Amino acid sequence: LYTEALAMLSQLDDRREAAVTRQVLGILARQQGQLEEAQQLLIEALATTRQIKDRQNVAHALKELGFLMQQEGRFEQALHVLLSAGVGLALVNSPDTSIVKERIEQLRTQPGEDAFLSTTRRTATEAPEPAYGLDQAAWDASIQKLVKQAIPSKT
């Protein structure tokens, strides 16, 4: 049904709903172990939601991409994406923020503390997610709040 809905939404040129439908299809594909298809659908959903500046669905697409990367064992990439997702989810007061925080804490141990801090530091100093409308200082502060500590600067 979601596949049929996507076809209809694409015909109607409803970009937002088509992106949300792709996101749901991506989640289903990930849950069924179709990881390549899941990644493609989630990346398409993310691109569209970024274009239309849909802050909430950008965050949700990033969350699902992070879960996918974690499932594939790409822990540092997953952490990077989940940090960005967590910032966006916190901005829209989503209940999913706590789920992302739990995943981030899991990733503190999976690649190890040094890799965790390095990835977190790098993410905090990169350009903020454009859909969120944050300046660099607010982006950095939001990431530090997610990890519940100041990120030591590289010495």
Side-chain angles (χ1 to χ4, degrees), residues 1-154:
L1 291 176
Y2 279 116
T3 303
E4 290 175 24
L6 181 57
M8 285 186 235
L9 292 165
S10 295
Q11 284 179 343
L12 295 171
D13 200 31
D14 189 336
R15 295 174 64 207
R16 183 190 174 284
E17 290 303 319
V20 171
T21 302
R22 277 188 185 89
Q23 186 175 310
V24 171
L25 285 167
I27 293 166
L28 292 171
R30 179 180 59 80
Q31 291 171 342
Q32 295 170 355
Q34 300 165 348
L35 304 184
E36 273 187 44
E37 181 180 349
Q39 182 169 323
Q40 181 64 33
L41 287 161
L42 293 168
I43 287 172
E44 289 172 8
L46 178 61
T48 301
T49 53
R50 276 180 172 153
Q51 287 173 352
I52 61 175
K53 301 202 184 318
D54 182 345
R55 177 187 282 188
Q56 181 172 341
N57 283 304
V58 164
H60 282 286
L62 287 167
K63 174 190 76 164
E64 293 300 330
L65 275 169
F67 289 179
L68 173 67
M69 291 171 179
Q70 187 177 18
Q71 184 175 341
E72 293 176 325
R74 297 186 291 156
F75 301 127
E76 289 181 41
Q77 290 174 306
L79 175 60
H80 177 76
V81 172
L82 287 171
L83 287 166
S84 184
V87 170
L89 292 168
L91 285 172
V92 299
N93 296 316
S94 172
D96 286 351
T97 306
S98 62
I99 295 167
V100 170
K101 284 182 179 182
E102 288 174 17
R103 291 288 184 112
I104 289 170
E105 283 306 308
Q106 288 175 3
L107 288 167
R108 184 181 289 273
T109 58
Q110 285 174 324
E113 186 72 13
D114 288 342
F116 177 88
L117 291 173
S118 174
T119 301
T120 302
R121 186 181 311 109
R122 185 178 75 248
T123 303
T125 58
E126 289 177 353
E129 168 57 52
Y132 300 162
L134 298 175
D135 64 20
Q136 193 67 47
W139 174 253
D140 181 33
S142 296
I143 289 175
Q144 291 194 40
K145 185 176 179 182
L146 271 177
V147 298
K148 301 177 188 166
Q149 68 183 46
I151 305 161
S153 61
K154 199 173 187 181

